[in-house]
Amino acid sequence: MAFELPDLPYAYEALEPYMSSRTLHLHHDKHHATYVTTLNNLIEDSDLANASLEEIVLASAKDPAKVAIFNNSGQAWNHNLFWRVMKKGGGGTPGGELGRRLDDA
């Protein structure tokens, strides 16, 4: 399966002033796109061609012959997560146990 660059779940300007539109364009349209394209090229006609992104990460994680596949699949997965965990108006001070531990540190 060929992977595709997912659309951002918000406008490029949505995270300003914390992350600029220029930064999002660079990381999404160039960095993330390059990881996806490179991964597709690396797995084409291989035993991983029809695997999910998670399966590719796991299958290549400890295989020295698949370092490039691991790097590109891991970066593609990481960026997919990165875009989903940010949102306009998100953030703030953590609460609960995490907030207490951060305050104590």
Side-chain angles (χ1 to χ4, degrees), residues 67-89:
V67 169
I69 292 173
F70 176 69
N71 180 56
N72 285 277
S73 63
Q75 289 291 353
W77 188 92
N78 184 50
H79 279 79
N80 287 345
L81 175 65
F82 188 60
W83 309 132
R84 290 191 319 262
V85 299
M86 295 187 295
K87 67 179 183 176
K88 182 176 182 155

Side-chain angles (χ1 to χ4, degrees), residues 1-67:
M1 105 180 55
F3 294 99
E4 294 182 8
L5 179 67
D7 293 333
L8 285 178
Y10 35 74
Y12 285 97
E13 299 79 20
L15 303 179
E16 292 181 348
Y18 306 103
M19 189 173 289
S20 71
S21 172
R22 181 174 182 224
T23 297
L24 280 177
H25 275 288
L26 175 67
H27 282 280
H28 180 264
D29 302 350
K30 296 194 185 284
H31 290 277
H32 193 179
T34 298
Y35 293 128
V36 170
T37 299
T38 303
L39 175 61
N40 284 331
N41 291 335
L42 289 168
I43 64 170
E44 186 177 19
D45 298 325
S46 78
D47 60 330
L48 297 172
N50 293 311
S52 71
L53 194 53
E54 290 80 4
E55 290 168 334
I56 294 170
V57 171
L58 291 171
S60 61
K62 295 185 180 180
D63 186 341
K66 295 179 180 173
V67 169

